[in-house]
Amino acid sequence: MVKKIELNKRQETILQIVKDNGPITGEHIAEKLNLTRATLRPDLAILTMAGYLDARPRVGYFYTGKSSAQLLTESLKNIFVKDYQSMPVVVNENISVYDAIVTVFLEDVGTLFVVDENLLLVGVLSRKDLLRASIGKQELSSLPVNIIMTRMPNITMCKKDDLLIDVAKKLIEKQIDSIPVVKETTTNGYEVIGRITKTNITKAFVALADEDL
Ligand code: ADP
């Protein structure tokens, strides 16, 4: 497509910045030029209307010469665990398998995170862990979950600032349904502050489609 609009010097500069750094927010472009966002707004509007640039929510401005595969990769680099994490359900390591099963139903989750008396992560309980214990001969109300859980240090964890795509890869690689979002404490323990499940990944996937690539 032949671009008919003649660009002024500042618009040329903006275009170059976006080509080199995009996707980039209006704020960051303004920072690089030592101008305010408001000053740039008309130039960005012209560049967008003329088809040189496009803008997407949460991503920013990008050069339209990029392929949609490049754009998808760039979007994925902007989706973090903190954008999609949900509330974790934690139980104490001394509760019984029976009570853990009741918790799974009450809280409507597939995975429970097990913590010690200091609320630090010590284990994970999946539905199958609980089923396995249930087909044994043990008395479920006197069997503590810490006997049957998957325990530290074999827990796959993530942080709120990790990229969601990296956590999705871990779910596949480890063949698990859920990963705790943790915060390291000063005592080298891990506090559970959230969880990422296959459902959260599916939500992100659908949101990407709605962003209209
Ligand atoms: P299910 O066993 O119900 O299909 P998962 O696939 O999530 O659920 O769990 C498979 C096994 O992996 C279970 O023994 C569980 O304790 C363990 N597991 C689940 N999540 C994690 C995790 N984040 N880190 C380490 N092990 C986990």
Side-chain angles (χ1 to χ4, degrees):
M1 187 180 109
V2 182
K3 305 268 161 54
K4 296 191 200 78
I5 293 177
E6 189 97 342
L7 298 183
N8 68 28
K9 197 146 191 301
R10 185 151 82 201
Q11 289 157 357
E12 291 283 4
T13 312
I14 294 171
L15 190 57
Q16 196 56 48
I17 289 175
V18 178
K19 273 188 193 172
D20 295 342
N21 305 280
I24 177 169
T25 61
E27 224 113 337
H28 284 134
I29 300 172
E31 242 167 57
K32 283 188 186 289
L33 291 169
N34 262 327
L35 294 169
T36 66
R37 176 84 178 76
T39 315
L40 283 191
R41 203 161 281 139
D43 291 319
L44 286 168
I46 287 168
L47 286 165
T48 308
M49 279 187 301
Y52 289 97
L53 299 184
D54 208 343
R56 303 235 319 267
R58 277 199 301 116
V59 175
Y61 291 89
F62 55 86
Y63 179 56
T64 41
K66 287 189 174 168
S67 71
S68 50
Q70 277 172 307
L71 292 176
L72 178 60
T73 308
E74 278 158 8
S75 292
L76 290 174
K77 285 188 194 142
N78 279 290
I79 305 176
F80 296 93
V81 164
K82 59 172 172 278
D83 302 326
Y84 283 92
Q85 72 186 48
S86 41
M87 291 297 291
V89 176
V90 302
V91 297
N92 181 272
E93 61 180 329
N94 295 316
I95 76 158
S96 68
V97 171
Y98 182 92
D99 286 339
I101 293 172
V102 172
T103 307
V104 162
F105 281 103
L106 287 179
E107 302 283 350
D108 195 18
V109 288
T111 309
L112 300 174
F113 300 119
V114 185
V115 296
D116 64 13
E117 68 282 4
N118 299 316
L119 296 177
L120 299 180
L121 181 65
V122 290
V124 172
L125 279 172
S126 76
R127 279 179 283 212
K128 242 180 273 163
D129 294 332
L130 296 169
L131 276 175
R132 196 181 304 110
S134 308
I135 57 175
K137 291 240 159 25
Q138 307 99 318
E139 177 53 53
L140 297 186
S141 47
S142 54
L143 179 66
V145 289
N146 61 18
I147 307 286
I148 67 153
M149 68 190 188
T150 299
R151 58 185 59 250
M152 282 292 234
N154 300 320
I155 310 282
T156 303
M157 306 177 284
C158 67
K159 303 263 171 75
K160 70 175 174 27
D161 293 320
D162 288 349
L163 285 176
L164 196 64
I165 184 70
D166 291 337
V167 179
K169 286 177 187 164
K170 278 190 193 174
L171 285 171
I172 293 171
E173 190 186 307
K174 306 278 181 183
Q175 298 187 357
I176 51 180
D177 293 345
S178 179
I179 294 187
V181 184
V182 298
K183 198 171 115 190
E184 200 163 353
T185 66
T186 46
T187 52
N188 291 327
Y190 295 96
E191 195 187 320
V192 186
I193 58 169
R195 70 186 157 109
I196 291 290
T197 66
K198 289 176 178 174
T199 306
N200 301 115
I201 306 288
T202 309
K203 282 185 180 154
F205 180 75
V206 170
L208 264 183
D210 289 346
E211 267 184 25
D212 215 3
L213 275 181

